[in-house]
Amino acid sequence: MKKFIVAIVLTACNSLLAQVQFEAKVSKTTLGLNERLRIDFVMNMDGDNFNQPSFEGFRVIAGPSQQVSQSWVNGKSSFEKVYSYYLLPNQKGNLIIKQATIEYNGQIYKTSPIRINVTNAVQEARDPNDTQISADDNLYLVADISKTNPYINEPITVVYKLYFSYNIGITNWRELDKPKYNDFWSQNIDIKQLVGEEGMFKGEKYRFVVLRKTVLYPQKSGKLVIEPLSLDIDVQLPTNRRDMFGRVLVTNGNKRVSAGAKTISVKALPEVGKPADFSGAVGKFDFRVTPSKTNLKNGESLELLVSVTGSGNMKLFNLPKPVVPNSLEMYDPVHDEKVNTSLSGMSGKISDKYTIIPQFKGNYPIKPMQFSYFDLGSGKYKTITSPEIIINVLDGPSANDQVAATTPGVAKNTISSSEQFKYIKLKGNLFSMKKDDFLGSNLFYGLLFLPFLILPLIVLFKKKKDAIDSDVFGNRIKMNNRLAKKYLSEAKKQINNKEAFYVALEKAMHNFLKAKLHIETSDMSKSNIQQLLASKNANAQTIIDFINLTENCELARFAQSSSADIQKDFDKAVMIISDLEKQI
């Protein structure tokens, strides 16, 4: 009986486990880049520890929200738990939503991966039952194209404008897809600062911002597609509700907009009347060939400037090359471009500068050059021809001399013996290739005995230095002498700075006494200084002048004094020190 009951329980448990379902459901499997995707993770049991997938390639804009429902029908119960998310794709292509997991009765259940195909942004239909203001009819991204049927290499402009009505606000935007210009030469025009403007759109007044300006030059004929610019925009939308003060409440929303793909029908340039030398120049140009000079001496060079100025596809064609006689040596050109790009296209100047060096005396022609372009104004080809340029080389060897020098039987110029070896060095600095051995040489023995000769000098120098270092009294006198000279020199430098001058002057006087009287700073009282100077046979008036000057240094720092007084005190200090040097 017990075995029968256990078997019934196990059968019931297995049936319950077999009935556990956990799956992922999406609102659609194909959606545009600007559409939302709803995904529900549904379980028919009350599981725990739900783990969402990473949602790579998507951005979660809402969720997760959880719903639980349970019902009884004809004695049978049903249970459902749902985790819901709203997603926005970040990129186009095939994206995969990976597995989510949940735990029930100790077992882990997983959903199956779901493949989502994200296409270009599509135009969304507005819900007619929605009475709240939405971004659908209040936000537009527009690509204004200046011309949709240009010629090859004719400039067109694409200006991307974001229009938004006065009913909504914009807080931020992000680029999802940048426009691609396949088979176009393109250049963006820098927008230094975004400026809000007002204009008419669809017969109504809108605000707009210019986001991007681009100049395009189509490079082949036929239908060329400009892939769209797509933006993810954060918006503020007013609601039908108001706060306690009567102000309209706004909600933060999100809207993805696209400018849409644009098709350009490019016309080929006409074959009728196309010049043989046409290199693809389209626009309106002026062509010039300018030499730096036409008369030059032997050994001089000239620069030939080939330039085109005007407006058109300046960077997309080649300049013609000059043809010169063999007697003129021409080097590769230096290319220069001074081109500005605006909404009307490229304009400016391009040039090739050739360096030409003549080899012989004579007159040499540079043939006329031609430059052909397609004029957009008249729709016809035009050719500009430069005049012939004659280069006159005034001196130097002639081409006939060169021929005579290289032709047998033709008389050559006589070369004197003095000129024959003019460019050959006649005096040589010869030296013997045999080298003396270093071992046993005078240098060897000199370096060997040099340390023994220097050793006595080192000993004498060391004894002299020790004697000087041990003479503390003498060193102190020397130091005080140096300090006196130093501060007297410092006082002279500071003669225009009163306070610094008198500080330096006072220190110079004190250090002089310390050097001459062999006293310390603590012994420098006025009475002691007078007694010591008198014992050294110093003149009484000089002693009085010294004491008065040191006292004046203390007072003059805080009293007004002119530059003449300062100079007078400095001269007096020099005189007193000089007198004491003689008297002591």
Side-chain angles (χ1 to χ4, degrees):
M1 186 65 181
K2 290 182 179 179
K3 291 181 179 180
F4 180 72
I5 294 173
V6 171
I8 292 175
V9 171
L10 290 175
T11 303
C13 291
N14 288 334
S15 63
L16 288 174
L17 291 173
Q19 294 176 359
V20 174
Q21 295 180 354
F22 182 47
E23 58 183 345
K25 299 178 181 180
V26 293
S27 57
K28 57 178 74 175
T29 56
T30 300
L31 69 155
L33 187 62
N34 59 332
E35 292 184 298
R36 299 182 182 185
L37 174 70
R38 175 173 175 168
I39 182 168
D40 297 326
F41 298 97
V42 184
M43 188 177 188
N44 65 345
M45 295 294 177
D46 191 8
D48 299 316
N49 300 327
F50 171 75
N51 290 319
Q52 69 183 45
S54 60
F55 297 122
E56 294 180 6
F58 293 89
R59 182 164 64 92
V60 179
I61 60 174
S65 61
Q66 180 179 339
Q67 296 179 352
V68 177
S69 61
Q70 189 172 8
S71 62
W72 291 86
V73 178
N74 297 327
K76 294 183 178 180
S77 65
S78 62
F79 179 86
E80 185 178 72
K81 178 186 285 187
V82 182
Y83 295 91
S84 299
Y85 294 84
Y86 284 92
L87 311 176
L88 270 177
N90 291 328
Q91 62 193 59
K92 294 186 295 185
N94 291 320
L95 306 180
I96 296 177
I97 299 178
K98 297 182 180 180
Q99 295 174 315
T101 62
I102 202 166
E103 182 179 351
Y104 179 72
N105 284 342
Q107 297 233 359
I108 302 298
Y109 295 88
K110 299 180 180 180
T111 61
S112 299
I114 298 177
R115 187 180 299 274
I116 304 296
N117 182 27
V118 181
T119 63
N120 289 329
V122 298
Q123 185 175 359
E124 296 180 285
R126 182 180 175 184
D127 185 0
N129 297 322
D130 187 8
T131 59
Q132 178 180 329
I133 294 176
S134 78
D136 296 337
D137 293 335
N138 294 277
L139 188 63
Y140 299 93
L141 181 61
V142 177
D144 286 340
I145 298 179
S146 61
K147 194 171 186 178
T148 57
N149 59 338
Y151 282 105
I152 292 178
N153 275 319
E154 180 180 0
I156 62 173
T157 58
V158 183
V159 179
Y160 294 93
K161 298 179 181 179
L162 181 64
Y163 286 91
F164 52 100
S165 70
Y166 290 87
N167 296 326
I168 66 173
I170 295 177
T171 57
N172 192 20
W173 62 76
R174 295 164 293 277
E175 285 190 359
L176 297 176
D177 273 346
K178 293 185 177 181
K180 297 179 181 178
Y181 310 110
N182 298 325
D183 299 316
F184 288 92
W185 183 94
S186 63
Q187 181 166 336
N188 291 326
I189 306 298
D190 291 336
I191 299 177
K192 297 182 179 180
Q193 184 177 2
L194 296 177
V195 179
E197 303 179 51
E198 293 183 351
M200 299 300 294
F201 181 72
K202 290 188 175 183
E204 298 183 7
K205 199 171 184 180
Y206 274 77
R207 294 174 292 172
F208 71 91
V209 176
V210 177
L211 301 179
R212 185 190 291 263
K213 298 177 182 180
T214 306
V215 178
L216 303 177
Y217 285 84
Q219 297 301 294
K220 73 176 186 178
S221 60
K223 294 187 179 297
L224 306 182
V225 177
I226 300 175
E227 295 190 12
L229 170 67
S230 298
L231 300 178
D232 184 12
I233 303 175
D234 296 332
V235 296
Q236 291 181 331
L237 303 173
T239 65
N240 297 326
R241 296 177 289 115
R242 297 179 179 270
D243 60 10
M244 60 183 297
F245 300 104
R247 294 174 298 190
V248 176
L249 297 176
V250 297
T251 60
N252 294 321
N254 177 273
K255 176 67 177 177
R256 293 193 173 187
V257 292
S258 172
K262 303 295 180 181
T263 302
I264 308 298
S265 299
V266 182
K267 298 181 291 186
L269 296 175
E271 294 295 329
V272 178
K274 180 183 289 187
D277 62 341
F278 178 70
S279 61
V282 177
K284 190 172 185 62
F285 304 102
D286 184 23
F287 174 67
R288 294 180 183 274
V289 180
T290 309
S292 60
K293 52 187 171 181
T294 55
N295 296 321
L296 62 159
K297 299 179 181 179
N298 181 33
E300 292 182 338
S301 64
L302 67 93
E303 292 181 343
L304 188 69
L305 184 67
V306 180
S307 63
V308 169
T309 58
S311 59
N313 58 334
M314 302 291 293
K315 299 180 180 181
L316 304 177
F317 60 82
N318 296 321
L319 294 173
K321 295 183 179 180
V323 178
V324 300
N326 294 332
S327 297
L328 298 180
E329 186 175 1
M330 184 173 68
Y331 293 88
D332 292 336
V334 176
H335 186 73
D336 183 41
E337 294 181 355
K338 296 179 181 178
V339 180
N340 296 321
T341 304
S342 62
L343 280 180
S344 59
M346 288 185 281
S347 62
K349 178 181 179 180
I350 61 173
S351 62
D352 286 339
K353 184 183 290 185
Y354 295 85
T355 299
I356 298 177
I357 301 177
Q359 302 296 314
F360 306 104
K361 179 175 66 174
N363 296 327
Y364 301 99
I366 297 178
K367 295 181 180 181
M369 300 172 61
Q370 290 185 341
F371 174 73
S372 300
Y373 67 95
F374 182 74
D375 185 13
L376 293 171
S378 61
K380 296 180 181 180
Y381 292 97
K382 293 185 178 181
T383 300
I384 303 175
T385 303
S386 67
E388 183 181 56
I389 300 172
I390 302 297
I391 304 300
N392 183 21
V393 183
L394 301 177
D395 58 4
S398 64
N400 294 331
D401 295 338
Q402 180 68 13
V403 172
T406 57
T407 303
V410 179
K412 303 181 178 66
N413 293 332
T414 303
I415 302 175
S416 64
S417 59
S418 62
E419 296 290 333
Q420 185 174 4
F421 302 102
K422 181 177 179 180
Y423 301 104
I424 300 176
K425 187 176 182 181
L426 302 179
K427 295 182 180 180
N429 298 324
L430 303 179
F431 57 90
S432 176
M433 296 182 62
K434 183 180 178 181
K435 295 182 179 180
D436 296 332
D437 292 334
F438 174 71
L439 186 63
S441 65
N442 294 333
L443 179 61
F444 170 77
Y445 288 111
L447 295 176
L448 180 64
F449 293 107
L450 184 61
F452 299 100
L453 297 174
I454 295 177
L455 187 60
L457 298 177
I458 296 175
V459 173
L460 292 175
F461 176 77
K462 183 71 169 57
K463 289 183 177 180
K464 183 67 174 176
K465 186 176 183 302
D466 292 341
I468 293 173
D469 292 341
S470 61
D471 186 8
V472 179
F473 186 72
N475 290 334
R476 185 179 300 168
I477 294 173
K478 292 178 182 179
M479 183 183 70
N480 290 332
N481 278 327
R482 286 196 299 270
L483 288 175
K485 294 179 181 179
K486 172 187 173 183
Y487 288 116
L488 197 58
S489 174
E490 180 67 21
K492 187 174 182 180
K493 294 178 182 178
Q494 301 292 341
I495 202 163
N496 294 323
N497 187 352
K498 182 187 67 173
E499 185 173 352
F501 167 79
Y502 282 109
V503 170
L505 187 62
E506 185 178 6
K507 289 182 178 180
M509 303 291 285
H510 286 175
N511 282 293
F512 172 77
L513 284 184
K514 288 163 67 176
K516 295 301 179 183
L517 301 180
H518 316 312
I519 59 175
E520 298 297 330
T521 304
S522 58
D523 299 329
M524 294 186 65
S525 63
K526 295 178 183 179
S527 59
N528 194 23
I529 291 173
Q530 288 176 342
Q531 293 176 2
L532 290 174
L533 288 176
S535 65
K536 296 290 185 179
N537 298 322
N539 186 281
Q541 184 60 43
T542 306
I543 297 173
I544 295 172
D545 291 341
F546 183 90
I547 297 298
N548 291 337
L549 182 59
T550 55
E551 291 177 350
N552 186 43
C553 289
E554 296 177 359
L555 298 175
R557 280 185 287 172
F558 307 102
Q560 293 184 354
S561 58
S562 63
S563 58
D565 295 335
I566 295 175
Q567 182 64 46
K568 184 179 178 181
D569 289 340
F570 178 78
D571 296 339
K572 189 175 182 180
V574 173
M575 183 182 66
I576 292 172
I577 291 176
S578 177
D579 291 342
L580 289 176
E581 280 278 5
K582 298 175 183 178
Q583 297 170 11
I584 297 178

